[in-house]
Amino acid sequence: MDKQYPFITYLESLRGSKDERAAFAALRRGLGRDPGTEPAMFPYIARWVAEDSTRWYEATLYLIASLFAYHPKEGGTGNLGAAFKRAAQGESDTTAIERRFTALLAADTADLHFYLRQAVSFLKAKDVAIDWQQLFDDVLKWQYSYAQKQWAYKFWGSSGEGKEGESENQ
């Protein structure tokens, strides 16, 4: 992803800082709550909310910060579809993973925080890193369905087989 969000860079800067434990503990308190309702998060998030910020932007700040604090593993690349694909590698039966992933794709903005929390928890258990810059961008655009399609393409897409317009007998 080309676009870098200063907010994510800020969260990444907390990793390894002298304030890491306290900051991440405060940010994790937002897990399982509606985004923006945990006062312990305010000192870390309020500075990123402008007077003209939309509710969705503000909610995304709180959501991503709490999820990041829960699973701050470095080295994630690609979107969440790619992360789920990495998590599914080596599994003989991916039915449960696909069901979980499909539920995430179907989430609307009102309950996205619930499904994303489950997804991040799953990826943490599988020790799969997340590209937080990409996830932040995707959540900001969630209502337009672009991210969901891109995630699906990365998860279920082939590695170049069966491209449109190619003959099967080549």
Side-chain angles (χ1 to χ4, degrees), residues 21-49:
R21 281 183 61 144
F24 284 2
L27 294 173
R28 281 191 306 269
R29 286 190 192 110
L31 292 169
R33 295 181 168 220
D34 287 337
T37 60
E38 174 52 54
M41 296 179 76
F42 296 169
Y44 301 96
I45 308 301
R47 69 186 82 177
W48 297 96
V49 180

Side-chain angles (χ1 to χ4, degrees), residues 6-164:
F7 176 67
I8 300 301
T9 303
Y10 163 71
L11 292 176
E12 291 169 340
S13 76
L14 293 174
R15 199 187 293 128
S17 72
K18 64 179 178 150
D19 191 34
E20 178 183 2
R21 281 183 61 144
F24 284 2
L27 294 173
R28 281 191 306 269
R29 286 190 192 110
L31 292 169
R33 295 181 168 220
D34 287 337
T37 60
E38 174 52 54
M41 296 179 76
F42 296 169
Y44 301 96
I45 308 301
R47 69 186 82 177
W48 297 96
V49 180
E51 284 186 32
D52 62 346
S53 292
T54 64
R55 281 185 177 162
W56 184 247
Y57 181 78
E58 184 177 349
T60 301
L61 292 172
Y62 282 97
L63 173 61
I64 295 299
S66 63
L67 294 172
F68 180 89
Y70 178 64
H71 183 41
K73 182 178 175 74
E74 292 182 74
T77 58
N79 64 33
L80 226 56
F84 263 76
K85 189 169 190 165
R86 286 191 298 275
Q89 287 176 340
E91 296 288 329
S92 58
D93 182 10
T94 61
T95 305
I97 295 171
E98 289 187 39
R99 190 171 34 249
R100 177 188 303 261
F101 186 65
T102 301
L104 173 61
L105 295 178
D108 63 20
T109 56
D111 55 358
L112 180 60
H113 66 285
F114 173 77
Y115 289 100
L116 267 181
R117 183 171 38 93
Q118 288 185 343
V120 170
S121 180
F122 168 73
L123 293 171
K124 180 179 180 176
K126 293 285 191 175
D127 198 33
V128 174
I130 295 169
D131 182 336
W132 292 101
Q133 294 281 354
Q134 183 67 57
L135 183 58
F136 186 70
D137 188 62
D138 289 345
V139 172
L140 286 174
K141 298 172 183 170
W142 193 256
Q143 60 210 15
Y144 305 111
S145 299
Y146 174 79
Q148 296 91 314
K149 290 176 186 175
Q150 295 305 308
W151 292 5
Y153 298 154
K154 286 294 184 182
F155 184 74
W156 285 295
S158 66
S159 55
E161 300 169 12
K163 289 184 180 174
E164 182 80 21

